[in-house]
Amino acid sequence: MTLDRLKIGKSSKIVEVRGEGALRRRLLDMGLTPNTEVMVRKMAPMGDPIEIHLRGYELTLRMDDAKKIVIEEA
Amino acid sequence: MILGLAGNQNCGKTTLFNQLTGSNQHVGNFPGVTVARKDGQIRGHKDVTVVDLPGIYSLSPYSNEEIVTRDFLLNNNPDAIINIVDATNIERNLYLSMQLIELDIPMVIALNMMDEVRANGGTIKIKEFQKQLGVPVIPISASKNEGVEELIDTVLEVAEAKRAPRRQDFCSGAVHRTIHSIAHMVEDHAQRIKVPPRFAATKLVEGDEPMRKALRLSENEIDMVMHDVTEMERELGTDREAALADMRYSFIESLCASTVVKMGESREHRRSVAIDRVLTGKYLAIPIFLLIMMLIFWLTFGVIGTALSDLLSLGITAVTDAADAGLTAYGINPIVKSLVIDGVFAGVGSVLQFLPIIVVLFFFLSILEDSGYMARVAFVMDKLLRRIGLSGRSFVPMLIGFGCSVPAIMSTRTLSSERDRKMTILLTPFMSCSAKLPIYAVFTAAFFPKHAALVMILLYVMGILMGVGSGLLMRGTVFHGNPVPFVMELPNYRMPSAKSVLLLIWDKARDFLVRAFTVIFVATIIIWFLQTFDTRFNPVSSGSDSMLAMIGRWIAPIFAPLGFGDWMSSTALITGFTAKEAVISTLAVLTGTDVSNLPQALSTLFTPLTAFTFLTFTLLYTPCIAAVNAVRQEMGSVRSAVGVVFYQCGVAWIAAFLVYQAGRLVAG
Amino acid sequence: MSPVDLIVLLIVALLFFFAARYSWRHRNHSCGGDCSACPYHQNCDKKEKK
């Protein structure tokens, strides 16, 4: 499963971060590494981007980018 | 002695910088306000300079801020690094620290917001913590100025003793082996370009292009590096970038597990989440955003701003009258009197009375920025801006554009992609800046007194639509390509500090006053001169014989198809290039009235239709010279700045032409 | 022209001179305030030191 399909308010663990270049590096640098627990906090009013909670802080990323983050099945 | 101050965005870096240096900067909460480097002398240590580096999360080679920081630390040989770490968000903050330690420069970690951690039941075993990291760690509270003295003492001591971090090996297993073998292999190359071999090796393992090029490895060496890296990737079952990020975070996790008693969810964070339930909530976010913006504009332009403006205007009129009476009493030569009253007082006075509006607008904008709301605006508005090929981050510069194009264009520095930046720079001037407001105010008072608000809203909306249209056009042509990743931190809401807001306002007010008494003053005198004398420097009896009238007549035909081909409005548009407020002051001087009587005087020059056409042109045509200059600096070339000017004048002319012709058709 | 005329004229001329000089010298770093946050404020410092 990928992060974009995680329901609001639910948590899961990251398995793998796909993608490439600047985007991927940025995701890794912000702490989206394997085994990190992430929670989807909310979705922006227009349905995109999403706000996630990890490592004690809030991060926002787009749905397209969330598709590249593989998480554990619930 | 030079110290570098490095840390994440929103970790209190700017606040600490202010405490260290005693100088005052603007403290913003929007990720990336501190984009360029700032210097300052440490209080009580005149010989020690601190450089405030951009707020970054990593030393990757992908963003300009990161490259700038890296280059500074490697090439400018700072004596020590102060790495500020937000203790409430310690894991992500330490990620940068791990990379800084590899640079082998004396370093001290300033553990900020320790008061907040303690207040929420957390502690950090500092002794054990600094032992494991190998660098001194000083708990501080930048906002309360606690621990800053101790920090300064420690940094100076570490820098003088040239005490590099005691430990660099945070890795284990395959990553450890690979980094070490590569570090030995590239040692000579690294020493030649004065880069610590360990840092060079780590960057090579990460696949860092700039480092590989800088080291100038031989083909054989590149093969060997690649061999080691492939071996590591195979052993770990993951790729090089993920392996290193994982290595760093794994160490941080184990470090925190043994030394940090985690605090419960902090009060500040809970409060932030609660506020966000409303401010970025599904149904309320957009209405509240619009409401906030409307409230700000209403307060600025409808209540506080105009009331203060009227008051100031009364004062200016009183001073002008007194000067007039004084000069008359002394029997001054009529031409000299005209210079003082019609030139200086009328010109500068008409600009001066808009000072309150600008101050009030910037007061609200800086509160939005400092509180952290601007980051939420980017979050809420991202999808909308993505349609024209930008990200939510471009929304903030555009919003500031409603205040003044110059800081708006400058704030595009926070955008990490060149493409986004250039596109935002091009679109920002379409957001009607506050200096154009006096023009709207005078014209609507003269021609649309009953529908003043409607006309103004119409103009603002027209500007926005033109911006969107240009965005769509540019996206398909000049600026194709992919937008940058939109991965942004949403910091906790914070109470804006009165000090930083007041300082910002003072900066704005001072700049505005300086402009009024320099550029505007010079411009009004030149214009007064041009309109008082003819080409043989004889005083003219009627305005239509003056030099200014000649110039105006010369360019007037350009505006004839727009319905206002008279020399006065053409001249006003030219002087508007120096500053938009000058359009009004020029019209006042040319029609020979003061600003309070200008609406009546204008009704002889324009019809309601041509007045609206004139407003359309003013809205869209090129911003003032200061904004063009900012464009030149941010775009990095004169040619693109000139291109922007022509593009905007062209758009303005076409739009005004269409408005005028459509209006004539409707009116029959 | 009376002496008062000349004095007034002189004052305006002097002010004009200083204002023009200031505008010219600052032509390359005009900005909308907020100088400490301005990416170019360093340039100002350097020029003033010289």
Side-chain angles (χ1 to χ4, degrees):
Chain A
M1 187 161 104
T2 49
L3 184 60
D4 60 301
R5 284 161 55 203
L6 192 61
K7 287 206 176 69
I8 291 167
K10 291 272 182 291
S11 305
S12 184
K13 270 189 177 163
I14 294 174
V15 175
E16 190 193 348
V17 178
R18 294 190 181 139
E20 56 191 13
L23 169 71
R24 177 156 194 270
R25 180 61 191 269
R26 178 111 175 134
L27 292 172
L28 291 169
D29 286 345
M30 296 305 270
L32 291 152
T33 53
N35 288 321
T36 309
E37 177 115 354
V38 286
M39 191 262 275
V40 177
R41 172 87 61 192
K42 65 168 59 162
M43 196 182 260
M46 285 180 260
D48 197 3
I50 53 171
E51 179 181 340
I52 61 170
H53 179 85
L54 78 153
R55 299 187 188 270
Y57 79 101
E58 267 38 68
L59 187 75
T60 165
L61 71 163
R62 288 173 174 171
M63 280 299 205
D64 280 348
D65 302 338
K67 280 192 186 115
K68 298 185 175 121
I69 298 164
V70 184
I71 51 169
E72 282 176 6
E73 297 292 332
Chain B
M1 191 183 279
I2 298 174
L3 307 176
L5 177 61
N8 284 186
Q9 291 167 0
N10 312 306
C11 67
K13 194 161 62 63
T14 312
T15 315
L16 175 62
F17 183 69
N18 289 344
Q19 301 287 17
L20 285 172
T21 60
S23 84
N24 288 296
Q25 281 87 19
H26 176 57
V27 191
N29 237 347
F30 183 73
V33 156
T34 322
V35 241
R37 84 177 237 196
K38 293 187 221 163
D39 294 7
Q41 265 86 38
I42 289 196
R43 278 190 289 195
H45 301 271
K46 279 255 162 66
D47 54 329
V48 184
T49 304
V50 194
V51 179
D52 188 13
L53 296 162
I56 52 169
Y57 298 101
S58 170
L59 290 177
S60 88
Y62 290 111
S63 85
N64 293 338
E65 282 81 1
E66 289 170 330
I67 294 169
V68 162
T69 306
R70 192 158 134 172
D71 286 351
F72 172 82
L73 294 172
L74 286 175
N75 304 334
N76 291 37
N77 303 314
D79 296 278
I81 301 172
I82 302 171
N83 172 214
I84 178 165
V85 164
D86 176 358
T88 64
N89 194 350
I90 195 158
E91 287 188 13
R92 203 206 57 222
N93 273 259
L94 282 174
Y95 184 81
L96 176 68
S97 312
M98 312 277 302
Q99 297 179 61
L100 292 174
I101 287 174
E102 284 184 330
L103 291 167
D104 208 28
I105 298 168
M107 177 168 144
V108 174
I109 287 181
L111 206 54
N112 195 20
M113 309 205 200
M114 273 308 288
D115 49 335
E116 205 173 293
V117 171
R118 289 198 194 104
N120 292 290
T123 43
I124 293 172
K125 296 172 192 155
I126 300 289
K127 273 197 180 143
E128 179 59 23
F129 187 75
Q130 66 181 7
K131 199 176 139 207
Q132 288 201 32
L133 272 173
V135 295
V137 176
I138 312 292
I140 63 161
S141 167
S143 57
K144 292 181 185 156
N145 204 11
E146 287 168 9
V148 176
E149 284 305 316
E150 197 190 343
L151 175 68
I152 295 174
D153 291 344
T154 314
V155 173
L156 293 181
E157 188 198 320
V158 167
E160 261 153 33
K162 299 195 192 315
R163 204 181 307 139
R166 268 196 292 271
R167 182 178 176 184
Q168 291 187 329
D169 253 348
F170 301 105
C171 46
S172 57
V175 178
H176 178 87
R177 281 198 303 278
T178 315
I179 291 178
H180 271 261
S181 90
I182 293 179
H184 287 302
M185 199 185 334
V186 300
E187 204 168 346
D188 295 346
H189 293 282
Q191 270 159 3
R192 194 188 62 237
I193 60 165
K194 297 196 175 65
V195 168
R198 161 82 199 199
F199 181 72
T202 312
K203 291 294 140 188
L204 280 177
V205 176
E206 268 179 320
D208 189 290
E209 271 302 298
M211 183 57 78
R212 192 178 60 80
K213 282 188 185 131
L215 286 170
R216 277 184 286 160
L217 300 180
S218 70
E219 205 127 304
N220 191 22
E221 284 163 326
I222 293 175
D223 282 347
M224 279 155 79
V225 168
M226 279 315 292
H227 173 82
D228 283 2
V229 171
T230 323
E231 192 79 350
M232 177 194 80
E233 286 180 331
R234 206 168 45 91
E235 198 177 323
L236 294 172
T238 177
D239 69 290
R240 54 206 331 209
E241 281 192 310
L244 281 194
D246 194 40
M247 175 272 280
R248 293 194 190 108
Y249 273 114
S250 300
F251 173 79
I252 293 167
E253 279 162 22
S254 79
L255 170 71
C256 291
S258 62
T259 60
V260 178
V261 177
K262 285 213 171 162
M263 55 175 190
E265 199 189 5
S266 76
R267 205 158 37 94
E268 289 77 5
H269 186 247
R270 269 203 308 275
R271 189 183 60 192
S272 236
V273 171
I275 296 173
D276 262 346
R277 218 163 276 149
V278 181
L279 290 189
T280 64
K282 195 171 179 185
Y283 301 104
L284 287 175
I286 296 173
I288 287 182
F289 169 67
L290 292 176
L291 211 68
I292 290 176
M293 287 321 291
M294 269 158 65
L295 190 71
I296 289 176
F297 276 60
W298 177 67
L299 285 175
T300 308
F301 303 123
V303 187
I304 312 172
T306 38
L308 291 173
S309 238
D310 290 347
L311 213 65
L312 192 64
S313 154
L314 280 178
I316 292 168
T317 314
V319 174
T320 311
D321 289 347
D324 198 344
L327 292 175
T328 315
Y330 274 103
I332 295 277
N333 181 310
I335 292 197
V336 178
K337 197 183 105 178
S338 160
L339 167 67
V340 175
I341 302 299
D342 304 334
V344 178
F345 276 80
V348 174
S350 63
V351 173
L352 218 52
Q353 65 169 318
F354 297 103
L355 175 68
I357 289 183
I358 284 164
V359 166
V360 174
L361 181 66
F362 273 111
F363 169 75
F364 288 120
L365 284 181
S366 72
I367 285 182
L368 288 192
E369 191 164 289
D370 286 7
S371 63
Y373 185 64
M374 285 292 201
R376 271 70 185 185
V377 173
F379 171 68
V380 171
M381 293 295 161
D382 179 63
K383 198 173 182 187
L384 202 69
L385 281 179
R386 209 181 316 166
R387 298 226 171 102
I388 57 168
L390 289 172
S391 86
R393 267 177 292 201
S394 296
F395 207 83
V396 180
M398 289 191 179
L399 211 56
I400 298 173
F402 288 111
C404 174
S405 300
V406 179
I409 290 165
M410 286 179 166
S411 68
T412 58
R413 275 273 166 114
T414 56
L415 305 176
S416 44
S417 114
E418 183 111 13
R419 173 189 165 280
D420 281 24
R421 199 161 62 229
K422 287 189 169 168
M423 214 163 137
T424 312
I425 289 172
L426 202 74
L427 302 194
T428 303
F430 285 119
M431 310 302 132
S432 178
C433 81
S434 59
K436 291 177 185 167
L437 209 85
I439 312 175
Y440 306 158
V442 168
F443 272 78
T444 48
F447 297 100
F448 315 101
K450 287 189 187 135
H451 307 287
L454 186 74
V455 170
M456 291 222 197
I457 290 169
L458 204 65
L459 285 167
Y460 274 91
V461 169
M462 188 149 64
I464 295 166
L465 287 180
M466 280 297 168
V468 170
S470 298
L472 289 174
L473 190 78
M474 297 289 159
R475 183 188 156 190
T477 54
V478 189
F479 299 112
H480 42 76
N482 292 321
V484 272
F486 181 72
V487 181
M488 187 186 71
E489 184 190 358
L490 293 174
N492 285 349
Y493 285 101
R494 270 177 221 289
M495 201 63 193
S497 100
K499 194 168 139 194
S500 86
V501 170
L502 288 176
L503 270 164
L504 179 92
I505 292 173
W506 165 238
D507 270 348
K508 302 282 176 218
R510 191 184 50 193
D511 183 70
F512 187 83
L513 285 172
V514 165
R515 282 210 305 151
F517 286 103
T518 54
V519 184
I520 307 282
F521 176 75
V522 169
T524 48
I525 289 190
I526 292 175
I527 290 158
W528 173 86
F529 182 81
L530 289 176
Q531 60 129 24
T532 313
F533 297 95
D534 64 17
T535 42
R536 275 170 295 172
F537 299 110
N538 292 321
V540 292
S541 47
S542 90
S544 57
D545 300 329
S546 64
M547 278 189 269
L548 197 61
M550 242 181 61
I551 301 170
R553 266 187 220 105
W554 190 61
I555 57 150
I558 301 173
F559 298 112
L562 311 182
F564 49 90
D566 66 287
W567 63 275
M568 289 193 209
S569 41
S570 317
T571 315
L573 287 174
I574 297 174
T575 55
F577 189 62
T578 57
K580 282 291 164 297
E581 304 93 322
V583 171
I584 287 304
S585 59
T586 307
L587 282 172
V589 170
L590 289 181
T591 52
T593 57
D594 55 39
V595 175
S596 52
N597 293 321
L598 190 56
Q600 289 88 308
L602 284 180
S603 52
T604 59
L605 266 183
F606 295 95
T607 67
L609 176 59
T610 56
F612 190 75
T613 318
F614 184 81
L615 287 180
T616 307
F617 190 85
T618 323
L619 162 79
L620 300 171
Y621 91 121
T622 214
C624 64
I625 190 88
V628 173
N629 196 45
V631 171
R632 181 182 66 81
Q633 280 171 317
E634 293 303 324
M635 292 266 208
S637 87
V638 179
R639 200 194 293 170
S640 24
V642 172
V644 170
V645 169
F646 272 97
Y647 175 73
Q648 272 155 351
C649 287
V651 167
W653 195 91
I654 293 168
F657 179 75
L658 292 177
V659 165
Y660 180 60
Q661 299 303 337
R664 280 215 306 189
L665 275 180
V666 172
Chain C
M1 275 214 185
S2 68
V4 189
D5 286 347
L6 284 177
I7 290 168
V8 173
L9 214 55
L10 199 70
I11 292 170
V12 174
L14 270 179
L15 288 175
F16 181 84
F17 171 73
F18 284 117
R21 195 177 66 166
Y22 183 92
S23 311
W24 181 251
R25 285 192 179 167
H26 288 77
R27 68 193 184 280
N28 278 335
H29 38 264
S30 47
C31 71
D34 192 15
C35 296
S36 49
C38 162
Y40 310 110
H41 87 289
Q42 256 216 316
N43 302 349
C44 311
D45 296 344
K46 267 182 203 155
K47 273 178 191 163
E48 275 161 22
K49 267 174 204 160
K50 273 175 196 167

